Amino acid sequence: MRKRGTGTICIQGGYQPKKGEARVLPIYQSTTFKYETSEQMARLFDLEDSGYFYSRLQNPTCDAVAAKICELEGGVGAMLTSSGQAASFLAIFNLCGAGDHIVSSSTIYGGTSNLFTVTLKKLGIEVTLVDPDASEEELAAAFRPNTKALFAETLSNPSLVVLDFEKFARVAHEHGVPLIVDNTFATPINCRPFEWGADIVTHSTTKYMDGHAMAVGGCIVDSGNFDWMAHREKYPGLTTPDDSYHGLVYAESFGKMAYIMKAVAQLMRDLGTCQSPQNAFLLNVGLETLHLRVPRHCENARRVAEWLSSNPHVAWVNYPGLPGDKYFERAQKYMPNGTCGVIAFGLKGGREQSIAFMDKLGLGAIVTHVADARTSVLHPASHTHRQLNDEQLIEAGVRPDLIRLSVGIEDVEDILADLEQAMAHVYE
């Protein structure tokens, strides 16, 4: 059978209606599902049958959307979560417990950094942050005998460092741990991390996948490529009996689906960070145009990056899709069709000038959001990374004057006009 194209998957993936069924994915707005015998329900609770019995664990609307994202990424299994932050937490907590350790790129999103360095620490899980451009030797030096995962972002938020997938994958696999990659900014339209050695992918579906800023959500996708049984002593949660399911061993019972099955059956059961069917439905509406929107975001961002680079009041610009950018060549290797619609830049005069510029924008709105259809702007040092001190900001790749501009899909001439009038107000 011919492998379906990305556009076809965006529109028709995950849900195939049968005779007389709704053409559009229905919203299964029900907490529970009926069965005819007690035995039928019992088999579901023992994971001996597949089916639906409670929407905290599985729901037909959510599963259809997860299947679409899974196909887009080229994975074997996926699950939706209540937010991108929940996806990052569950992706790690599915492998780690008190006394364990992870290694992570230092340039990750501020919320994820706080999750790893503060909240996971309270749970007894330690993290070592490393420069994503560190050498393989420096990266390897961060690993410990109790390290369970290596985490990074395809495109770091907001500094736009392009991940060297092959380097990170080599080091992770040499140490017998999976590489987990947050692919939110690139989306599977521009990058499929599994093709470059990643083992698990996470998304904040709130961003480009949703596209309309209406539904918070997240997703975890498993490649099925990591051999848990080959590292059974490191991952007892997957390779030894789970007493809460009568001694079931996930890696033995579910093979390549072990990681996702454990995340759903154990973590979602106990923590309840599920996505609502209504939000999954809205996410699916966004996914149907993802393959059309992402190229427009990239084209508009390239035009804006060129304009900023030539403006005498701009001190610096980071955009991997711009020739001459530090990560341009790496972006061409891993994302030849484009990177994303986000640009990081700073103005001459520093932090105060950057803030004054943002306040004068009209079309571009100051919001705690990024990567939807509307142009938006944010000052990470004052907002998303506010809890970090100056030293931590620099370690995270966030300069004090950094403006994160998320270029939307409006007419690019209108976006440029808005930037120009704001610049005129600040430097008149």
Side-chain angles (χ1 to χ4, degrees):
M1 181 178 177
R2 182 183 182 277
K3 184 178 179 180
R4 300 198 296 184
T6 300
T8 301
I9 298 170
C10 283
I11 296 168
Q12 297 208 22
Y15 173 67
Q16 297 297 320
K18 300 179 178 65
K19 180 181 178 180
E21 293 183 339
R23 184 71 174 95
V24 175
L25 174 66
I27 305 172
Y28 285 85
Q29 195 66 47
S30 180
T31 60
T32 54
F33 302 85
K34 178 183 178 294
Y35 287 87
E36 295 175 349
T37 69
S38 176
E39 176 62 21
Q40 291 172 341
M41 184 70 78
R43 289 182 63 80
L44 292 173
F45 271 94
D46 281 344
L47 305 183
E48 294 175 353
D49 268 350
S50 60
Y52 300 98
F53 55 97
Y54 198 58
S55 279
R56 185 174 76 238
L57 280 84
Q58 290 179 293
N59 175 280
T61 306
C62 296
D63 281 4
V65 180
K68 175 178 288 190
I69 296 173
C70 185
E71 187 176 359
L72 284 170
E73 286 287 8
V76 298
M79 62 181 284
L80 298 187
T81 62
S82 56
S83 67
Q85 192 78 329
S88 296
F89 173 67
L90 294 183
I92 296 297
F93 201 57
N94 203 32
L95 302 176
C96 297
D100 288 334
H101 172 256
I102 64 171
V103 177
S104 172
S105 165
S106 62
T107 58
I108 55 175
Y109 163 61
T112 311
S113 179
N114 196 72
L115 168 66
F116 288 175
T117 60
V118 178
T119 302
L120 288 187
K121 187 176 181 179
K122 293 177 182 178
L123 297 176
I125 302 169
E126 294 188 350
V127 60
T128 298
L129 300 176
V130 295
D131 184 339
D133 289 332
S135 67
E136 289 194 32
E137 292 73 21
E138 292 170 320
L139 185 57
F143 281 73
R144 305 173 186 173
N146 61 337
T147 301
K148 297 296 182 70
L150 176 59
F151 185 94
E153 295 173 337
T154 300
L155 289 159
S156 65
N157 177 10
S159 54
L160 298 176
V161 174
V162 177
L163 179 67
D164 188 340
F165 282 95
E166 291 169 309
K167 177 182 72 176
F168 267 62
R170 272 195 304 272
V171 174
H173 297 155
E174 284 170 0
H175 289 81
V177 307
L179 171 60
I180 304 175
V181 174
D182 183 331
N183 198 34
T184 297
F185 270 13
T187 81
I189 303 302
N190 283 343
C191 184
R192 285 161 47 108
F194 295 152
E195 296 176 356
W196 299 104
D199 299 290
I200 298 159
V201 160
T202 63
H203 284 278
S204 171
T205 61
T206 318
K207 310 305 190 296
Y208 287 121
M209 285 188 168
D210 174 271
H212 36 52
M214 288 197 293
V216 173
C219 186
I220 304 172
V221 187
D222 183 18
S223 68
N225 292 332
F226 194 84
D227 189 346
W228 305 108
M229 292 304 288
H231 307 282
R232 64 181 68 203
E233 292 183 1
K234 190 181 284 285
Y235 301 103
L238 284 154
T239 62
T240 61
D242 180 354
D243 293 337
S244 68
Y245 281 107
H246 309 297
L248 176 146
V249 178
Y250 294 97
E252 291 178 352
S253 297
F254 302 109
K256 288 182 176 294
M257 289 288 291
Y259 178 87
I260 287 294
M261 285 300 298
K262 178 178 179 293
V264 172
Q266 189 184 86
L267 299 189
M268 195 63 80
R269 176 197 64 190
D270 294 345
L271 300 175
T273 54
C274 55
Q275 188 166 147
S276 73
Q278 179 71 55
N279 277 6
F281 175 84
L282 293 172
L283 167 58
N284 190 58
V285 173
L287 286 169
E288 288 180 350
T289 60
L290 184 67
H291 62 300
L292 302 176
R293 291 183 287 106
V294 168
R296 175 65 175 260
H297 278 290
C298 293
E299 175 57 24
N300 279 2
R302 182 188 61 80
R303 288 280 305 280
V304 171
E306 290 172 349
W307 185 88
L308 290 169
S309 295
S310 63
N311 190 287
H313 303 303
V314 175
W316 57 273
V317 178
N318 285 353
Y319 184 64
L322 193 65
D325 184 89
K326 177 181 179 180
Y327 296 103
F328 178 76
E329 294 301 326
R330 191 181 295 172
Q332 290 297 297
K333 175 181 179 180
Y334 293 123
M335 291 166 275
N337 295 322
T339 54
C340 66
V342 181
I343 302 170
F345 68 100
L347 300 181
K348 293 178 180 177
R351 181 172 184 157
E352 295 308 314
Q353 296 295 88
S354 293
I355 293 173
F357 166 80
M358 288 170 48
D359 289 347
K360 293 298 182 181
L361 290 170
L363 187 143
I366 301 174
V367 295
T368 310
H369 193 47
V370 66
D372 71 36
R374 304 160 189 84
T375 294
S376 59
V377 66
L378 185 125
H379 184 248
S382 299
H383 305 142
T384 55
H385 291 63
R386 190 176 184 86
Q387 65 269 54
L388 303 184
N389 59 38
D390 286 348
E391 182 180 346
Q392 291 170 325
L393 283 171
I394 296 301
E395 184 180 10
V398 179
R399 306 186 197 190
D401 63 341
L402 187 152
I403 296 171
R404 186 184 72 183
L405 178 63
S406 179
V407 181
I409 57 175
E410 304 94 344
D411 289 339
V412 71
E413 296 300 333
D414 292 331
I415 300 172
L416 293 173
D418 189 37
L419 298 175
E420 190 164 12
Q421 66 81 23
M423 202 78 76
H425 273 96
V426 175
Y427 292 99
E428 61 185 7

